[in-house]
Amino acid sequence: MLIELPKHAEIFGCVKIHEIQKILKFESETFESPLLRGISRNELDEVLNRTVVIIPVKNEKLHLLDGVLRSIPSGCEVIVVSNSQRGENDIFRMEKDIVHNFHRVTRHPVTIVHQKDPGLGVAFKEANYEEILDNSGFVRDGKAEGMVVGLTLAKNMGRDYVCFVDADNYIPCSVNEYVKLYAAGFILSQTPYSMIRLHWRYKPKVMEDRLYFKKWGRVSEITNKYLNMLVSVHTGFETNIIKTGNAGEHGMTMKLAEIMAHSTGYSVEPYQLVYLLEEFWKGDSKYKEATNSGIEVYQIETLNPHVHEDKGDEHIKEMLLGSLSTIYHSKLANETIRKEIMNELKKNEMIKKEKELKKNRILPPIAEMDMKKFIEVLLNHAETLTTYSQEI
Ligand code: GDD
């Protein structure tokens, strides 16, 4: 892979955010110049063999999940965390069939679990991580909650990198690209605490009778604007360095994933940046090793366009509300930002009064859990956890 090296980065305490990088060629030999880095297939393979890919899924079209599974590069472990319907029309059972068949044919190792597995509820409780549970003792609904379930399982696989891909992707090979871009980012990274966030080159929409290759998603543009404002009010310099506020597609070193806090639902991705800035720029973090090593955020632009399921305007509003609430309630926000966010929400007819803008629930880093206990209890109580390993 031939990738541009970032020409510019902005530094916030020990957090360094790199400018967007473009891919110039998908395949290359190892090569280094001040502006470019060629990454060979062997280098990528070395990282992919140390990577876990987590796929959160909730009631998606089955052949989309199937396509995503088939395009995960070799070497990666895969974890599917499903919150799909059970009961009479048991979508989870159908997903499990897809996963089983995928493994039977390809021998690619894959683990699947249902988010509402009672065993997960008991295990999180025993491991002192009750923030993720509802009043009945089950893991709450939400993409972020599914991601945290995936993270805890990934942590126990002993791998060094963890990344996320959505299950509703219409272009399977773009998923193959995403995972390789994460690997490329990890190779460029100078610290064990790094995060790779993808920026889609285009997000095509059907407009009248043709495809229009839009550059920005509706939510992303607004979220990025306010995240940039959040840093600008502290530095005194206007910036547009943040271009991946809502990057659903992202990866982290396991060391960073362990100390990352999570906001619930769809506010999870913007909150990751807010958390890093609050904790490691303006805060006095207890995670001294990360502070001393430094944290890097890479933003990489994909070659493939992103075509996913369109879930309608209400869904977009929910995502925007979650994202802006995260920024509004940040310790870093001042009155000007809060006022502008309120105006934005009122303009979009999403909220009438300030007190309606609820603070998102925050899940602490999984480093706070008793991980040994979690796994011990989970293995004893899980009903849906299934691992298809290399051997069959
Ligand atoms: N396990 C689990 N639990 N998965 C879920 C849940 C849940 O409660 N809710 C949604 N998912 C899965 C979906 O099935 C999909 O695979 C993925 O999470 C993303 O959810 P979508 O509802 O499809 O979100 P989106 O495609 O509109 O938005 C994506 O892109 C945004 C940026 O444009 C998401 O990745 C967002 O998080 C991201 O901000």
Side-chain angles (χ1 to χ4, degrees):
M1 179 177 300
L2 191 59
I3 182 168
E4 267 182 359
L5 289 174
K7 292 186 232 27
H8 170 71
E10 292 196 21
I11 296 171
F12 308 101
C14 62
V15 182
K16 192 189 240 185
I17 304 184
H18 294 278
E19 190 185 62
I20 289 273
Q21 292 165 254
K22 287 189 165 54
I23 303 300
L24 302 179
K25 194 169 174 295
F26 206 56
E27 303 239 328
S28 165
E29 294 309 316
T30 302
F31 155 79
E32 234 169 307
S33 81
L35 297 177
L36 301 176
R37 170 76 155 86
I39 300 172
S40 70
R41 210 175 283 186
N42 285 346
E43 282 180 280
L44 287 176
D45 282 344
E46 202 269 322
V47 173
L48 295 171
N49 285 323
R50 292 155 64 200
T51 296
V52 183
V53 179
I54 297 170
I55 311 174
V57 61
K58 185 173 180 184
N59 301 329
E60 301 296 351
K61 292 190 178 106
L62 292 169
H63 68 268
L64 296 188
L65 173 65
D66 191 44
V68 168
L69 284 169
R70 285 168 200 275
S71 55
I72 306 284
S74 295
C76 300
E77 287 278 354
V78 181
I79 300 173
V80 178
V81 183
S82 168
N83 194 18
S84 298
Q85 190 174 312
R86 308 285 334 251
E88 222 167 274
N89 181 21
D90 194 343
I91 299 182
F92 175 68
R93 192 186 52 74
M94 297 180 226
E95 290 166 349
K96 212 172 150 191
D97 273 357
I98 298 265
V99 165
H100 176 75
N101 193 46
F102 163 72
H103 174 260
R104 191 177 58 78
V105 177
T106 64
R107 294 186 173 227
H108 197 119
V110 52
T111 293
I112 181 166
V113 70
H114 196 277
Q115 194 161 323
K116 298 290 179 187
D117 189 314
L120 277 172
V122 183
F124 276 119
K125 186 166 187 289
E126 294 286 313
N128 294 324
Y129 197 84
E130 291 185 55
E131 295 84 347
I132 199 169
L133 302 179
D134 64 18
N135 293 335
S136 315
F138 291 100
V139 172
R140 290 175 197 280
D141 291 323
K143 180 191 169 193
E145 289 74 357
M147 288 167 59
V148 172
V149 169
L151 269 184
T152 52
L153 298 177
K155 167 68 192 153
N156 284 285
M157 289 175 167
R159 293 203 161 198
D160 299 317
Y161 307 106
V162 58
C163 53
F164 300 92
V165 294
D166 289 346
D168 59 342
N169 197 316
Y170 276 89
I171 308 184
C173 283
S174 66
V175 174
N176 188 275
E177 178 192 4
Y178 298 164
V179 181
K180 287 179 179 157
L181 297 191
Y182 300 136
F186 293 133
I187 289 168
L188 298 184
S189 165
Q190 305 287 314
T191 157
Y193 296 87
S194 61
M195 166 176 259
I196 320 299
R197 301 172 72 93
L198 301 189
H199 171 64
W200 301 315
R201 190 164 190 190
Y202 296 109
K203 220 174 162 184
K205 296 269 165 231
V206 178
M207 297 259 204
E208 292 170 5
D209 59 349
R210 64 193 181 105
L211 267 186
Y212 177 69
F213 286 79
K214 253 173 96 46
K215 197 94 187 121
W216 294 98
R218 282 178 281 178
V219 179
S220 307
E221 214 169 347
I222 301 174
T223 305
N224 291 340
K225 174 178 150 190
Y226 290 103
L227 281 173
N228 282 314
M229 214 183 261
L230 200 63
V231 294
S232 300
V233 293
H234 289 274
T235 59
F237 290 87
E238 209 168 85
T239 181
N240 62 357
I241 190 80
I242 299 175
K243 301 230 170 51
T244 54
N246 290 97
E249 255 61 46
H250 63 274
M252 283 176 268
T253 55
M254 186 51 86
K255 272 177 168 285
L256 182 59
E258 279 179 272
I259 60 167
M260 176 64 77
H262 313 270
S263 184
T264 46
Y266 293 105
S267 54
V268 56
E269 290 97 7
Y271 181 71
Q272 290 166 339
L273 294 176
V274 169
Y275 167 76
L276 290 180
L277 295 167
E278 285 182 352
E279 179 81 12
F280 295 99
W281 180 31
K282 292 294 175 187
D284 178 18
S285 180
K286 65 175 174 185
Y287 301 115
K288 296 295 175 211
E289 198 192 310
T291 310
N292 295 337
S293 306
I295 294 168
E296 284 187 290
V297 178
Y298 286 85
Q299 305 181 95
I300 305 182
E301 186 179 274
T302 63
L303 275 181
N304 277 289
H306 189 77
V307 185
H308 67 143
E309 194 69 33
D310 189 341
K311 296 190 174 123
D313 284 350
E314 276 315 303
H315 177 65
I316 297 284
K317 282 188 176 179
E318 190 194 333
M319 262 171 38
L320 187 58
L321 201 61
S323 300
L324 291 187
S325 166
T326 283
I327 302 170
Y328 180 96
H329 290 292
S330 165
K331 291 191 279 215
L332 303 180
N334 64 9
E335 272 319 299
T336 316
I337 296 183
R338 294 204 171 109
K339 221 165 142 188
E340 293 215 22
I341 289 179
M342 279 316 294
N343 289 340
E344 184 80 53
L345 291 170
K346 284 179 185 161
K347 189 174 82 192
N348 285 286
E349 295 177 352
M350 290 168 59
I351 206 158
K352 291 198 185 81
K353 294 195 199 95
E354 211 153 333
K355 59 176 185 238
E356 289 173 37
L357 191 56
K358 297 265 171 339
K359 208 171 172 179
N360 296 307
R361 188 188 299 273
I362 303 297
L363 306 177
I366 62 165
E368 313 289 315
M369 282 173 68
D370 181 344
M371 199 53 86
K372 203 165 153 244
K373 187 97 193 158
F374 175 82
I375 282 298
E376 192 185 297
V377 177
L378 181 67
L379 292 179
N380 277 326
H381 291 81
E383 293 173 9
T384 63
L385 179 68
T386 310
T387 295
Y388 301 97
S389 52
Q390 207 113 31
E391 299 308 317
I392 46 175

